[in-house]
Amino acid sequence: MLRYFLQTLWRFVLLYLVFAHIASTVPWIFQKRVGAQARERLSDTDFYGGDAGVDRVALVEEPGESFAIRVQLLRHAANTLDIAYHAIQEGVTTEAFLGEILIAADRGVRVRILIDAKTG
């Protein structure tokens, strides 16, 4: 009886792991790419308009492109920077990001940072 229960449990766990693996990888196979027209429509001026207090969002798929956009936003900041992060880890990109924040602060930009987790 115990052997049958353990075999059934093992089959269930194995089936669950196969399902979890398929469910986490198959959507990435059929992921749509951003077209050239959408990339052209997303301009830098959309983020730096005169509408004070308006939130803006950009959907970026690649980590390198995401970092480049963050650095660009830091370099174009004129008055304030409000930065919220869940966690910051040691690394080259973190040092570059924090360096850009310091450069912005030296230009006279008011910087506020909210880190909502433990940091290393």
Side-chain angles (χ1 to χ4, degrees):
M1 181 75 163
L2 179 63
R3 182 178 174 155
Y4 175 75
F5 174 75
L6 291 176
Q7 286 178 344
T8 305
L9 180 63
W10 173 247
R11 287 179 183 152
F12 177 76
V13 169
L14 187 61
L15 182 65
Y16 176 77
L17 290 175
V18 168
F19 170 77
H21 178 69
I22 291 171
S24 65
T25 56
V26 168
W28 293 102
I29 295 171
F30 302 105
Q31 183 178 9
K32 293 182 180 179
R33 291 286 177 197
V34 176
Q37 289 179 334
R39 288 180 190 264
E40 289 174 6
R41 283 195 322 250
L42 181 63
S43 67
D44 297 340
T45 56
D46 293 338
F47 290 100
Y48 311 116
D51 300 332
V54 176
D55 294 334
R56 294 169 177 90
V57 175
L59 178 60
V60 182
E61 295 184 21
E62 301 296 325
E65 187 179 4
S66 172
F67 179 73
I69 289 174
R70 286 187 190 121
V71 169
Q72 187 177 16
L73 289 171
L74 292 172
R75 290 180 179 169
H76 285 89
N79 300 323
T80 61
L81 279 172
D82 294 326
I83 301 167
Y85 264 83
H86 176 67
I88 294 179
Q89 299 175 352
E90 287 186 42
V92 175
T93 56
T94 300
E95 291 180 15
F97 183 72
L98 294 175
E100 290 293 334
I101 292 172
L102 287 174
I103 291 170
D106 289 341
R107 281 196 325 261
V109 176
R110 180 179 175 218
V111 178
R112 295 186 300 179
I113 302 174
L114 171 66
I115 300 174
D116 190 21
K118 296 179 182 178
T119 58

